[in-house]
Amino acid sequence: MLNNPRTFTTTYAGRSLTVQTGKTCELSNGSCWVRYGDTVVMANVTASPKPREGVDFFPLSVDYEEKLYAVGKIPGSFLKREARPSENAILTSRMVDRPMRPLFPKDMRNDVSIVMTVLATDIDNSPEIAGSIAASIAVSISDVPFNGPIATISVGLVDGEIVLNPITAQREKSDLNLTVAGSRDKIVMIEAGANEVDNETMLKAIETGHEEIKKMVDFIASIQAEIGKEKFTFESQEVPHDMFDDVAAIAYEDTKLALDTDNKLVRDERLLPIYERVYTELEEKYPDSQVKLDECMYKLQKKIVREWLFEGKRVDGRQMDEIRPLASEVGVLPRVHGSGLFTRGQTQVLSVATLGPIRDIQNLDGIDENSTKRYMHHYNFPSYSVGETRPSRGPGRREIGHGALAEKALVPVLPSLEEFPYAIRVVSEVLSSNGSTSQGSICGSTLALMDAGVPLKAPVAGISCGLITKEDGSFTTMVDIQGLEDFYGDMDFKVGGTHKGITAIQVDIKVDGLTMDIIREAFEKTEKARNYILDEIMLKALPAPRETVGEFAPKVLQTKLPVDKIKDVIGKGGSVIQKICAECDVKIDIDDDGLCVIMGVNLDNARRALYMVETIAMDPEVGAIYKGVVTRLMNFGAFVEIAPGKEGLVHISKLENHRVEKVEDVVSVGDEIVVKVIEIDDQGRINLSRKDAIADIAAKQAEKENQ
């Protein structure tokens, strides 16, 4: 029998938000429906009764499920049902996971699963925001231990004004797409894409969002106080203090020596015998405890690194604001359209840009209002980049998330489709990883796009800022964190931007939240660092985008066709346009408004195709000169096709400036000749003259030579 249904209502960013519990899903540990406008998202949390054996991490899974019935669509796949999650669903799952994960007990090993299901959605009220709030409510009212609640909000910047949870019309013209999650006192997650927004405006947007978040947190806390279950007790997997002390007694000094290097390979090599010695010396006292001994070694390394950082010492000897050695190159690969290699310490990323026709724009099959994507950024993180042996199984959530972050950073500086009519793809291959490869991919991809001749509005660089906190609230930040500082630190604050402002932010934390002072300091340090990277490294490798696309990149020409002539250019069953494409080795896209885009690797071929298209679309004019192909020979003259489907007659008397006995003496079928339109009769028949065309061309050439 179902529990007693309950409904709770509040106002969020000026719109009604309703929470329903107790009506469905009684077997979940916690469940609710959140309705925001006509958007409805259901969240369920479940937990295993016992800890998972043999793991040294908290096994949390977060899934955001998009159901196409929510927007009245039938899936387009062969099976006609939802298959793998869309990229947006994966990114939303990560967005909910990141702020919630640090708030679960660190020593809990019970499997916990959070599932958000989009049941209905309108175009104005974000199902991602509703889903993240539903997840927080479901966990808060469940019996699963959780140091919440938290809430999430979207912030826009429309005409210079900050807007909370903007509707679709506002999102379309917003200079900021910011998502903030927070508790009552702190910020726990930031994700942003922005049109070069300055630090102070971004800080104000975060603060404004947090003020509204506090109201939602209080609302969720009131629900929890009224109907929340008592939190269950769990079997703590915290390593015994005695075991840690024994490991430290054996390994502390040697571990300090092992960590004191800027080379990841050397560090790993030094640590291996220390691990072996710990296993050997403590095997008898702690049998079958290798997982816990590993965790003790992890805690020991963490303790050492954090002690050093608070003393102002970094593992590789750098100052707290010092960036590792940097290098950048462009044009590192032949034949590709653009390439850039960016190196920061032992982090190295190769980015390769490809330009394609407009038809290559990606179509998206999901519930998001965006149905196409012109710029695609793909990020690959192979196992060899960290010196591991692992088969490639395609991109995981992390790879998709990092690719999306780099994409978000670069979209604001791309030229419009009208200015640069290409679909654009960049692939970032991580060649070596020791911290902040996502930011390396931003730098490398900027170089690749500039190398490809993409006229970026401004170059973009990315850098990360780390954090170490103490229980008394004091903190230390450091710029350009390497892997060890990320692993044992409290924050990875990633910021991409131009000289003018921020274009992307992603913040991962391992503590209960960030204060505005920490965020302000992170902004200041990352701005200084990315400007240094731009001025001293990237722009010295390539000061500006190349003036033209490369030799092997497709060349684009455009023309505007009269709408009533589109069918003539396409031809019956596509016969005319296919013939032009085949003859000129080009691709042609024509939209419903008559915009015709011609793309070919060879510029002369593209120009020839443009000439043919315009000849078909624009009625021939008397006096115009064309290059045509002889199609038929008759006793009285030759028929010449000046464009597919448009043919005229050159009378035998108009072939040469002297008497011609036989047409075959001058031209043959298949010859390309220049002709001039001398008459179009009342039936639309075109009369041409080769003699007059040659004379006009010779006269123009003589005039040019005499000038």
Side-chain angles (χ1 to χ4, degrees):
M1 185 173 179
L2 291 174
N3 296 325
N4 183 33
R6 298 293 302 274
T7 300
F8 304 88
T9 302
T10 189
T11 299
Y12 198 43
R15 278 163 279 168
S16 176
L17 183 143
T18 302
V19 178
Q20 291 182 312
T21 65
K23 187 176 181 180
T24 60
C25 307
E26 66 174 318
L27 299 183
S28 297
N29 292 61
S31 179
C32 70
W33 288 25
V34 168
R35 177 168 179 167
Y36 195 38
D38 281 344
T39 293
V40 181
V41 182
M42 174 176 64
N44 284 280
V45 59
T46 51
S48 63
K50 294 182 179 180
R52 189 195 297 187
E53 293 290 336
V55 298
D56 58 357
F57 60 91
F58 169 50
L60 170 68
S61 65
V62 178
D63 291 288
Y64 174 84
E65 297 182 337
E66 294 178 329
K67 301 297 183 180
L68 290 188
Y69 56 67
V71 288
K73 286 185 183 179
I74 294 175
S77 65
F78 179 78
L79 295 175
K80 295 299 179 187
R81 67 176 297 159
E82 291 84 359
R84 68 183 300 273
S86 70
E87 187 171 293
N88 180 66
I90 291 171
L91 296 175
T92 303
S93 299
R94 282 172 52 84
M95 183 190 76
V96 175
D97 183 306
R98 293 206 314 274
M100 295 189 73
R101 185 177 292 271
L103 301 178
F104 288 94
K106 290 180 172 56
D107 56 337
M108 187 166 76
R109 298 293 179 263
N110 301 59
D111 282 272
V112 174
S113 172
I114 300 172
V115 180
M116 297 157 285
T117 307
V118 182
L119 302 177
T121 182
D122 61 35
I123 63 172
D124 285 332
N125 296 285
S126 163
E128 294 86 356
I129 297 299
S132 60
I133 290 172
S136 178
I137 294 171
V139 177
S140 296
I141 65 175
S142 76
D143 58 351
V144 180
F146 180 63
N147 188 28
I150 61 170
T152 309
I153 198 164
S154 175
V155 186
L157 184 65
V158 182
D159 299 327
E161 297 295 324
I162 292 173
V163 180
L164 299 179
N165 285 348
I167 62 174
T168 299
Q170 293 169 325
R171 288 195 294 266
E172 288 174 352
K173 57 181 182 178
S174 177
D175 287 319
L176 176 63
N177 179 15
L178 168 68
T179 303
V180 182
S183 62
R184 187 70 178 74
D185 302 315
K186 294 182 180 180
I187 302 296
V188 295
M189 192 275 298
I190 304 171
E191 180 100 27
N195 292 334
E196 300 178 279
V197 171
D198 63 84
N199 290 356
E200 287 305 316
T201 302
M202 188 67 77
L203 283 166
K204 184 180 178 183
I206 294 169
E207 286 180 312
T208 304
H210 192 217
E211 288 303 312
E212 190 70 12
I213 282 172
K214 292 176 184 178
K215 302 173 187 176
M216 179 56 65
V217 169
D218 289 343
F219 172 66
I220 298 172
S222 69
I223 298 175
Q224 181 181 3
E226 192 167 336
I227 65 169
K229 299 177 183 177
E230 182 180 351
K231 301 300 183 181
F232 65 68
T233 57
F234 60 92
E235 183 182 337
S236 173
Q237 298 301 301
E238 181 71 33
V239 294
H241 293 297
D242 290 346
M243 180 186 288
F244 176 80
D245 291 341
D246 288 342
V247 170
I250 295 169
Y252 184 80
E253 292 300 330
D254 287 344
T255 301
K256 284 180 70 174
L257 291 172
L259 295 177
D260 196 7
T261 175
D262 62 353
N263 191 309
K264 182 178 183 294
L265 294 175
V266 170
R267 183 184 307 121
D268 292 345
E269 186 178 346
R270 289 175 178 176
L271 285 170
L272 280 175
I274 301 174
Y275 273 84
E276 290 300 325
R277 190 163 73 252
V278 167
Y279 298 153
T280 301
E281 294 190 22
L282 296 178
E283 182 179 9
E284 185 176 341
K285 186 173 183 180
Y286 303 108
D288 302 321
S289 298
Q290 185 169 324
V291 171
K292 289 193 174 183
L293 290 173
D294 285 344
E295 190 164 353
C296 288
M297 281 296 296
Y298 163 82
K299 287 180 175 293
L300 180 60
Q301 293 171 67
K302 182 176 182 178
K303 180 176 185 293
I304 292 169
V305 171
R306 293 173 71 89
E307 285 174 349
W308 280 348
L309 289 170
F310 267 117
E311 294 168 2
K313 169 184 168 61
R314 302 183 72 170
V315 174
D316 52 12
R318 282 182 291 146
Q319 299 299 311
M320 302 302 276
D321 294 342
E322 185 180 350
I323 304 174
R324 287 171 289 173
L326 298 162
S328 60
E329 297 177 52
V330 295
V332 296
L333 294 175
R335 303 193 72 89
V336 302
H337 300 166
S339 58
L341 181 65
F342 183 81
T343 306
R344 189 194 318 107
Q346 287 185 305
T347 291
Q348 187 175 58
V349 183
L350 171 68
S351 290
V352 183
T354 305
L355 307 178
I358 295 173
R359 70 178 65 172
D360 285 344
I361 288 176
Q362 183 180 9
N363 293 314
L364 305 175
D365 188 19
I367 67 172
D368 190 56
E369 67 258 25
N370 297 320
S371 58
T372 61
K373 185 193 286 188
R374 175 211 181 186
Y375 177 64
M376 298 151 278
H377 195 119
H378 297 147
Y379 166 103
N380 296 318
F381 190 86
S383 58
Y384 61 74
S385 68
V386 286
E388 295 178 357
T389 305
R390 186 175 64 249
S392 297
R393 292 288 184 266
R397 289 189 173 190
R398 179 182 179 278
E399 285 87 346
I400 291 171
H402 280 9
L405 176 60
E407 184 175 290
K408 196 176 291 184
L410 288 160
V411 163
V413 301
L414 293 176
S416 68
L417 193 59
E418 291 71 29
E419 296 172 292
F420 194 71
Y422 289 89
I424 307 168
R425 179 182 185 235
V426 172
V427 178
S428 292
E429 307 283 0
V430 177
L431 306 183
S432 178
S433 172
N434 189 12
S436 282
T437 52
S438 64
Q439 303 309 285
S441 72
I442 292 174
C443 300
S445 299
T446 295
L447 294 169
L449 289 167
M450 292 169 66
D451 185 48
V454 180
L456 299 181
K457 298 171 186 174
V460 183
I463 195 70
S464 64
C465 182
L467 170 75
I468 298 293
T469 58
K470 284 186 176 180
E471 291 183 1
D472 62 6
S474 60
F475 66 90
T476 299
T477 60
M478 69 291 305
V479 78
D480 181 26
I481 56 174
Q482 61 167 298
L484 211 62
E485 294 166 338
D486 182 10
F487 201 48
Y488 298 131
D490 295 330
M491 173 182 81
D492 184 4
F493 200 114
K494 300 181 275 279
V495 183
T498 65
H499 283 113
K500 182 179 177 182
I502 295 168
T503 59
I505 304 172
Q506 187 178 92
V507 180
D508 298 323
I509 64 171
K510 299 171 187 173
V511 289
D512 63 353
L514 307 177
T515 64
M516 292 306 300
D517 287 339
I518 294 173
I519 296 170
R520 180 175 285 102
E521 186 168 309
F523 279 165
E524 291 171 356
K525 289 192 173 183
T526 53
E527 180 181 27
K528 182 180 178 182
R530 73 171 185 266
N531 287 341
Y532 173 82
I533 294 169
L534 285 168
D535 294 333
E536 300 300 323
I537 306 300
M538 293 172 60
L539 293 180
K540 286 186 177 179
L542 187 61
R546 302 200 188 279
E547 293 185 1
T548 60
V549 298
E551 176 186 356
F552 298 101
K555 316 303 184 293
V556 172
L557 300 175
Q558 298 184 84
T559 189
K560 189 75 171 179
L561 307 178
V563 175
D564 62 341
K565 295 291 185 178
I566 294 175
K567 63 180 184 301
D568 297 331
V569 175
I570 294 174
K572 186 177 181 180
S575 58
V576 174
I577 199 169
Q578 288 172 12
K579 182 179 179 183
I580 298 173
C581 290
E583 285 187 12
C584 302
D585 190 24
V586 296
K587 295 178 180 179
I588 301 176
D589 291 310
I590 304 174
D591 67 18
D592 294 339
D593 295 327
L595 178 64
C596 176
V597 179
I598 298 168
M599 183 172 285
V601 173
N602 185 286
L603 184 57
D604 290 337
N605 283 349
R607 287 172 175 159
R608 184 156 67 97
L610 177 64
Y611 166 79
M612 295 167 73
V613 166
E614 289 184 334
T615 303
I616 298 170
M618 315 302 174
D619 292 328
E621 297 179 2
V622 173
I625 295 176
Y626 297 93
K627 182 182 285 187
V629 178
V630 178
T631 57
R632 289 179 291 156
L633 301 182
M634 310 295 288
N635 291 334
F636 52 82
F639 284 93
V640 177
E641 185 180 60
I642 59 174
K646 290 201 173 181
E647 200 173 63
L649 173 66
V650 181
H651 191 269
I652 191 171
S653 64
K654 299 294 183 180
L655 282 171
E656 284 282 7
N657 57 8
H658 57 76
R659 179 180 174 79
V660 176
E661 294 294 334
K662 293 182 180 180
V663 175
E664 294 91 335
D665 293 340
V666 181
V667 294
S668 302
V669 172
D671 285 351
E672 281 192 354
I673 62 173
V674 291
V675 292
K676 179 178 180 179
V677 178
I678 57 175
E679 181 188 16
I680 301 176
D681 66 19
D682 55 4
Q683 297 182 40
R685 291 177 298 195
I686 304 170
N687 291 319
L688 307 170
S689 170
R690 178 174 179 269
K691 176 174 68 175
D692 291 347
I694 293 172
D696 284 3
I697 292 171
K700 287 181 181 178
Q701 184 64 32
E703 182 181 348
K704 184 177 180 182
E705 291 174 355
N706 291 331
Q707 288 178 347

